[in-house]
Amino acid sequence: MEIRDILADVKYSHISHSPEFVLPNNSCDCHHHIYDRRFPYVADDTRNLPDATVDDYNQFKKWLGHSRHVLVQPSSYGTDNRCLTDALAAFGPNARGEAVVNETVSDTELDALQLAGVTGVRFNLGTGNATTPDMILPIAIRVAERGWHVQVHATADQLWDLRPLLLQIPGNLVIDHYFRLPPGATSHSSWRLAWELIERGKCWVKLSALYHQSQRDDVSDMAALVSCFLREATERVLWGSDWPHPNLISANKNMPDDALILSKIYHWAHNDQVRHKLFVENPAELYRFN
């Protein structure tokens, strides 16, 4: 299939050009979602997001040039992880999953998720109500015994409020979307929290969905923030596309130029050693691809 044919089928991205760089072998997109209306959304879902299927993502993956990827359970499905595990089976060994569970989850259910390729659980405190902050620590203790990680998505202010809890997480902790820090956020309390957690050696930062805080279409105002994480926390950075960009779809906003955003991050990484850590080594360690 030629690149023009791939581009014709790529959904949920503004395409201005093909990527002008080649990602390292075994590069990993550490944050994307699958929506498949064969699996019903939870009753209180208000966004009614359209299909963004395995086939759709495969075209997106061919375009950007990565081979590994991590499926993140969307809030539309609550704690019903059937769409997630179905997609993991379709994608095969180059995919891993982050499920959503609550305090009622059984060990048998966790066993089944692990067999499906799940290596972590996510707490989205910004959208949906399937999980609450008081569930984080009890579940974190249980999944740490399996070598799984806990991922938290919250605003920078919420994360600071959660500081006492986050410092108690026994295993690996992943913070979505760069702590939701705005450009030039070195004075924010969660900037200090980020480094406090990173210096403990078990916190990973996803450089994903830069458009959440950026005020520019080309996300160039995020350069200083992202470059600092890449430079000072090279062992703990991850890249994620956030495809199909559900927050932008639900807000009826324009799709981002994913190749341009990835190009920015690629160049902010400033050398091949950092790029290999970001795209290959760090995801392989956290998500156990090796």
Side-chain angles (χ1 to χ4, degrees), residues 127-260:
T127 304
N129 57 9
T131 57
T132 57
D134 62 307
M135 298 179 192
I136 295 177
L137 188 56
I139 293 175
I141 292 170
R142 291 179 64 189
V143 301
E145 297 173 353
R146 297 171 175 266
W148 293 14
H149 62 275
V150 166
Q151 179 167 298
V152 177
H153 177 217
T155 66
D157 289 340
Q158 287 174 317
L159 289 168
W160 177 250
D161 291 339
L162 290 171
R163 176 182 175 274
L165 186 153
L166 297 176
L167 290 171
Q168 296 180 66
I169 299 294
N172 286 323
L173 171 66
V174 180
I175 302 296
D176 266 2
H177 308 332
Y178 51 91
F179 286 74
R180 293 291 299 272
L181 288 161
T186 54
S187 61
H188 196 288
S189 53
S190 277
W191 175 256
R192 300 191 301 276
L193 173 62
W195 295 104
E196 183 178 12
L197 290 169
I198 289 168
E199 288 169 2
R200 290 164 60 92
K202 293 184 177 181
C203 181
W204 307 72
V205 182
K206 279 192 181 179
L207 305 178
S208 51
L210 300 186
Y211 41 79
H212 272 309
Q213 304 300 136
S214 176
Q215 301 301 308
R216 300 177 186 172
D217 288 342
D218 68 356
V219 300
S220 57
D221 54 343
M222 303 298 290
L225 180 78
V226 173
S227 296
C228 188
F229 279 127
L230 287 164
R231 184 178 61 253
E232 304 297 334
T234 305
E235 305 285 336
R236 290 291 177 265
V237 286
L238 308 160
W239 162 70
S241 68
D242 196 37
W243 185 95
H245 321 295
N247 285 22
L248 300 183
I249 294 174
S250 62
N252 199 29
K253 293 184 177 180
N254 293 331
M255 290 293 98
D257 187 333
D258 288 290
L260 175 62

Side-chain angles (χ1 to χ4, degrees), residues 23-52:
L23 291 171
N25 288 338
N26 294 320
S27 286
C28 184
D29 174 0
C30 297
H31 194 105
H32 77 91
H33 309 284
I34 293 295
Y35 294 87
D36 188 331
R37 296 308 296 262
R38 292 179 302 150
F39 301 93
Y41 294 167
V42 293
D44 60 356
D45 175 74
T46 59
R47 299 195 294 177
N48 195 31
L49 292 165
D51 276 352

